[in-house]
Each structure stands twice: as structure tokens, then as C-alpha cells.
Amino acid sequence: MYKINAEQVPGQKTLIIPSMFDHHFPLMKYAFCSEEYYPVILDHAENIVQTGLKYVNPDVCYPCVVNIGQIISALQSGKYDLKNTLLLMPTFGERCLGANYTEILKKALQNAGIQDVKVITFSVRPGEDNKIHMQYFMFLRAFFSMQYGDLLLYLSQQIRPYEIESGATDRCMQKWIQILSHHIRTGTKLNPLLLKSHFREIIADFSKIERSSVKKQRVGIVGELFTRYCHLGNRDIVKYLEQENCETFMNGLSSYFLYYIDNHKKEAKGALRLGYHAIFRMIVTFQKIMTKSLQQAGFFAFYDYETLKHKFSKEKMELDSVGDGWLISMDIFGCFQRGIMDILGVQAFRCIPSHIYGRGQYASMMRKYHGRIVSLDFDASLPEVNIHNRIYLLLNPSRKV
């Protein structure tokens, strides 16, 4: 396996990637590294929304504004050699605006007078031009990054609200990010047969953090990908909820990838269909191992994707795979089944799939399962006080939602 150099070497192009997944990208960035690419995950947040609005139509959904604003502000900073720089803009949706992000970015670059930078995409859709050149070891690194990122997400959201020593959870997280980054960069210990023991080792280390026994309100967060997993997309709502004496829960990123594969493997043929099936089985297998490892250590564990889908299929709800589609409803159903009765549904304002297939079913799901769901739309003009007021509906049991 190609070993990744810590520093950029001659011949590598800088591959700029916008922030998307807080718990996964510190590891997953290495999945995009090769002899050809040196990935840089953008982390700055200053004025990125204002920059995005300057070059993107404000009717475009909020994740696109943030991502493009972050990219253009980075290119205008003077830190990068534009002729030796590529921009990676992931696209996953077929019938939602997410399918057009690359074209919107190209137009924004023209508006900003940036001519020398090529836009490429990460997409499994046939016929997509200018794709990133993926190799086997890049997929392997992405798989391990996703698994470890999910575990760090589950542990941090259950431990940090209860830690006795402030910052202990984040320090433990950084420790394991450094250890796992070394494994992923060098290709050492990237053996699926070792994942179970690695899960247990990480869980055991986090378990040493001293915690309060006072139970807090647990709030499930569901919804659109970027506004759920990235603090830039949701204005740091996890931090706010923890400050308000809550514990949060978000299902892992691996369930989104399984949902995506699940919706496409039926239409795939030949080798592609077999590939989808093999990847699906591998991810589900290790989801189940992680779930069992968490349960054995006394932590809360959500359903694995396959088990949850089987339970959800009996509900006979309206399903559609546009954008985050029926995954939103299934996550809500899973939360209710696992005793998480307060749900915050987050999405970008104007995200039609989220409004129809997510928010459109909130009322009926609240009536059926007797839980509470508050919908929170994010856009560039949303003031912080409105965010907190919406969340307050969940934090005050006397208020109806």
C-alpha cells in the first residue's frame, strides 16, 4: 500500500476539500491522498457565508453556500498555488440540488475571476466527468476512517456531557485521531480482522474518563447530511445543547452510505451490482460488531442499518430515496424505538427532499409514536436567537411542538 508522506512532495497537486464531517474528516482526508493528490481539509469559518453569498445565488441551498464560500475564501487567501490546485466537490444526489454542486462551484469561480483551478468530483454515478482517480487503497482507507469516525462520534456524544474534568473527552479524541491517523497514513493495522479488537481498545480508553451519574435529556439529531454532521452547517448546535444540560445522539455516517448503496444496488448490473453487495455486507458486518462492542461496555448503541431497516419496513411508511429521503424517517423511528423521544430535525432551507420526505412526515410520526420533533431550517439569514428559540421547544417539556 502507498504510504502517505506527512508533507506534500513534488508531483502532488493540492486537493482542496471543504469541511463536511467533523468526526470523520480528520481521518478520512487520508483516503484522498495518493501519488497524485495531497488533500487539504478546510477548517476556517470566518466570513465564509458572506463570501458564498457574494458568488452564489442566495436561492441555492445553505450547504452549497457554505462550501463554496469556504473554498473561494481559501483560494483568495494567497496560501495556494492555483495552477497546482484541484477542488474536490462531492456529489451524491440525483434528483436534488446536491447533484449540481460542481456546476454551481464552476460558475462561482468564474464570478470570482478564478480561472486556473480545476473542479473534480467524488461520485459513483456513471457518466460523471472529471472524477477523482480512486484506487483500491483509497477505498480501504475510507472504510477504516468511516468506521473509526463513527465510533469516535458515538463515544464523544455519550461521554462529553458527563465528564467530570472539562476537556477530557476531546483530549482522548485527539489522542486517538493521532494514533489512527498514523495507522491510516502508513497502512499499518488496516486489517478488517483487527477492527473488533481496535474497537474494544478505543472504547476501553474512553471508558476511563470519569463521569457524572446524573442522567441528562437525550436529544436525537436527524436530517440532511451537512447540517447534521458539520458544526458549520448547524451553527454548533451540539455545543449549545450540551451547554443546556443535554446529551445528543446522531446515527453514524456509515448508515448514510448503506442507505445510498441500498438505493442503487437494485438498478446496478453485473460487476457493479456485485461490488455494491460486497461493500454493503462488509459495512453492515462491522456496524454489528461496533454495536455489540458498545453494548458490552455499557454504552448506548443504536440499531445497525440492516436491523433497523427490517423493523422500519413493517411500518409501511411512504418511502423515497431523493436526497436523504426515507433515511430521515427511519432514523426518527429508530430513535423512538430506542427511547429517544425528543428529536431535532435539521435541514437546509429550500431543501425540498428534506421538507417533503423528512418534515412532511413529522406530524404523523409524532401522533403515531408519541414523541416530539422540532424542525430547524438553516440558511444564511438565520439569526442565532431563532435557532435557540426553536431548540428551546424541545428543552421545555411544557411546550407543545
Side-chain angles (χ1 to χ4, degrees):
M1 179 182 288
Y2 169 72
K3 293 185 178 180
I4 298 171
N5 295 302
E7 302 294 334
Q8 189 169 6
V9 298
Q12 283 182 316
K13 287 187 175 292
T14 302
L15 183 65
I16 290 181
I17 307 171
S19 298
M20 291 192 72
F21 312 122
D22 292 341
H23 290 81
H24 299 78
F25 262 19
L27 299 174
M28 198 171 285
K29 66 180 180 181
Y30 299 113
F32 300 106
C33 195
S34 67
E35 293 94 334
E36 185 176 359
Y37 307 119
Y38 182 82
V40 174
I41 306 294
L42 301 177
D43 59 4
H44 65 284
E46 186 176 358
N47 296 324
I48 59 176
V49 174
Q50 293 85 346
T51 302
L53 291 173
K54 186 176 180 181
Y55 300 109
V56 177
N57 189 305
D59 286 336
V60 170
C61 65
Y62 185 62
C64 188
V65 172
V66 177
N67 289 162
I68 292 178
Q70 193 177 44
I71 288 172
I72 291 181
S73 63
L75 296 179
Q76 292 177 336
S77 69
K79 292 173 60 177
Y80 303 99
D81 175 8
L82 301 190
K83 293 184 178 180
N84 195 43
T85 298
L86 299 172
L87 305 178
L88 179 64
M89 179 62 82
T91 57
F92 287 97
E94 279 78 6
R95 290 176 287 166
C96 76
L97 193 58
N100 301 303
Y101 277 10
T102 52
E103 295 304 316
I104 295 172
L105 174 57
K106 291 175 184 177
K107 181 71 166 90
L109 292 172
Q110 291 180 358
N111 293 340
I114 300 173
Q115 307 292 335
D116 299 325
V117 185
K118 182 179 179 180
V119 178
I120 61 176
T121 185
F122 174 75
S123 173
V124 295
R125 296 185 301 167
E128 187 78 57
D129 296 329
N130 299 322
K131 291 184 184 179
I132 187 172
H133 301 149
M134 295 296 292
Q135 299 170 336
Y136 164 75
F137 59 81
M138 299 169 80
F139 282 108
L140 188 64
R141 287 188 169 109
F143 168 75
F144 279 91
S145 301
M146 183 170 63
Q147 296 296 323
Y148 289 134
D150 277 358
L151 184 59
L152 294 176
L153 170 65
Y154 291 142
L155 290 169
S156 64
Q157 62 190 5
Q158 291 187 58
I159 295 176
R160 188 171 51 237
Y162 301 99
E163 62 187 15
I164 300 297
E165 182 185 352
S166 179
T169 307
D170 290 339
R171 287 194 295 273
C172 192
M173 171 116 44
Q174 290 306 313
K175 168 190 169 181
W176 278 103
I177 286 175
Q178 289 182 2
I179 294 171
L180 297 171
S181 293
H182 175 75
H183 293 167
I184 294 170
R185 280 197 308 106
T186 60
T188 56
K189 300 186 179 182
L190 294 192
N191 183 341
L193 298 178
L194 299 176
L195 262 179
K196 184 176 181 179
S197 63
H198 288 170
F199 288 162
R200 289 179 174 176
E201 184 181 2
I202 295 169
I203 292 170
D205 197 29
F206 273 88
S207 297
K208 296 175 185 176
I209 298 173
E210 189 177 1
R211 286 163 278 166
S212 167
S213 60
V214 178
K215 196 62 181 173
K216 300 184 178 183
Q217 179 184 3
R218 180 179 284 160
V219 176
I221 301 176
V222 305
E224 187 271 332
L225 200 63
F226 181 69
T227 51
R228 181 168 30 151
Y229 291 116
C230 184
H231 70 285
L232 297 178
N234 60 41
R235 313 279 188 87
D236 252 336
I237 57 171
V238 171
K239 182 178 179 180
Y240 175 74
L241 282 164
E242 289 180 357
Q243 289 172 344
E244 292 297 316
N245 213 33
C246 292
E247 171 191 346
T248 62
F249 172 78
M250 284 183 276
N251 196 9
L253 182 62
S254 57
S255 286
Y256 182 88
F257 279 88
L258 288 169
Y259 159 80
Y260 186 85
I261 293 170
D262 207 8
N263 289 324
H264 288 76
K265 66 180 181 179
K266 302 170 187 176
E267 302 174 1
K269 298 179 181 179
L272 182 59
R273 184 180 181 87
L274 292 174
Y276 274 143
H277 181 74
I279 295 171
F280 184 92
R281 293 299 341 148
M282 183 171 67
I283 296 176
V284 165
T285 296
F286 287 102
Q287 264 196 347
K288 292 181 178 181
I289 292 173
M290 185 187 299
T291 297
K292 187 174 181 180
S293 299
L294 286 166
Q295 289 174 330
Q296 289 174 341
F299 287 101
F300 171 84
F302 203 58
Y303 298 108
D304 66 86
Y305 178 89
E306 196 169 51
T307 300
L308 180 56
K309 186 185 176 187
H310 175 70
K311 290 178 176 292
F312 186 60
S313 64
K314 298 177 183 179
E315 299 300 303
K316 298 180 180 179
M317 296 187 66
E318 186 69 27
L319 303 181
D320 198 290
S321 60
V322 178
D324 299 84
W326 55 267
L327 181 64
I328 300 174
S329 299
M330 188 171 78
D331 276 349
I332 294 172
F333 168 80
C335 285
F336 287 160
Q337 292 295 302
R338 295 291 287 120
I340 304 174
M341 306 308 293
D342 296 319
I343 307 294
L344 186 63
V346 295
Q347 58 273 322
F349 182 61
R350 302 185 189 91
C351 179
I352 301 303
S354 291
H355 292 330
I356 295 174
Y357 305 114
R359 194 168 66 178
Q361 301 195 64
Y362 290 172
S364 63
M365 295 188 78
M366 285 192 286
R367 288 193 298 268
K368 185 172 184 179
Y369 303 111
H370 310 292
R372 300 195 305 162
I373 308 172
V374 166
S375 180
L376 180 53
D377 291 356
F378 289 91
D379 73 355
S381 63
L382 181 65
E384 191 173 84
V385 65
N386 285 14
I387 298 172
H388 296 170
N389 284 341
R390 292 294 295 170
I391 293 175
Y392 184 66
L393 293 173
L394 280 179
L395 305 186
N396 188 340
S398 66
R399 288 178 176 266
K400 293 184 178 181
V401 298

